[in-house]
Amino acid sequence: QLVEGLLALDNDPADITVTVISFNTDVDAPDADPPGRITTTLDDTTAIQGFLAGLTSNGFTNFEAALDSVEAALDEIPGSESDTNILYFYSDGVPVLPNNGQQDIPAAVEDLEEAYPDLTRFGIGLGENASETALGQVDSSGDATIVHADGY
């Protein structure tokens, strides 16, 4: 539905760069097998939907690593510092690391804001296990959205 909504915007899909980052305990490198991130244009819906279909829910939930990866991905996209950038941050869990490791989500968000001050961020939780509080820290407005769908 997200891809369909973006396609409905009044922009040429070939002009919109989309990066999808998978995260759990950590964020896999873009060249890992399977890759932890894809970057393509919005008109490549097959690649986007294929990547999303391959995501699984396992491991821990490392918001901090995911936010750091967003900044790294934006740094690699030419012109992103002057483009309109929107982050849809989806999670189906509470930020947890092995051995009760701590995450500094506010610091990771602050780093992202310093690098990309005009980045609009949406924190979206999938299902009843998503943390509205943690996602609210990611969301630009401070209010996360929790979505209940089949399988969540």
Side-chain angles (χ1 to χ4, degrees):
Q1 289 177 334
L2 174 62
V3 172
E4 292 169 5
L6 290 172
L7 285 170
L9 297 174
D10 191 24
N11 292 309
D12 182 351
D15 292 337
I16 299 174
T17 301
V18 175
T19 299
V20 183
I21 301 168
S22 171
F23 69 99
N24 48 48
T25 305
D26 207 350
V27 176
D28 291 328
D31 59 353
D33 185 24
R37 172 175 91 207
I38 64 162
T39 297
T40 187
T41 55
L42 186 56
D43 61 342
D44 191 0
T45 57
T46 302
I48 297 167
Q49 291 171 337
F51 186 85
L52 292 173
L55 296 178
T56 59
S57 176
N58 60 29
F60 292 86
T61 307
N62 191 338
F63 278 35
E64 188 174 351
L67 290 165
D68 291 346
S69 186
V70 168
E71 184 175 347
L74 285 169
D75 289 346
E76 293 174 11
I77 300 170
S80 63
E81 63 280 346
S82 61
D83 288 341
T84 299
N85 295 297
I86 302 171
L87 169 63
Y88 295 95
F89 191 96
Y90 286 88
S91 177
D92 63 354
V94 174
V96 177
L97 292 175
N99 302 316
N100 295 319
Q102 299 297 308
Q103 297 182 54
D104 193 348
I105 298 167
V109 168
E110 185 178 319
D111 289 345
L112 193 55
E113 286 176 337
E114 286 176 9
Y116 295 92
D118 296 326
L119 176 67
T120 301
R121 304 176 319 273
F122 295 97
I124 304 164
L126 301 174
E128 62 188 33
N129 293 326
S131 171
E132 189 170 358
T133 301
L135 287 163
Q137 293 176 346
V138 173
D139 195 287
S140 296
S141 73
D143 293 321
T145 301
I146 304 297
V147 177
H148 297 280
D150 293 339
Y152 284 96

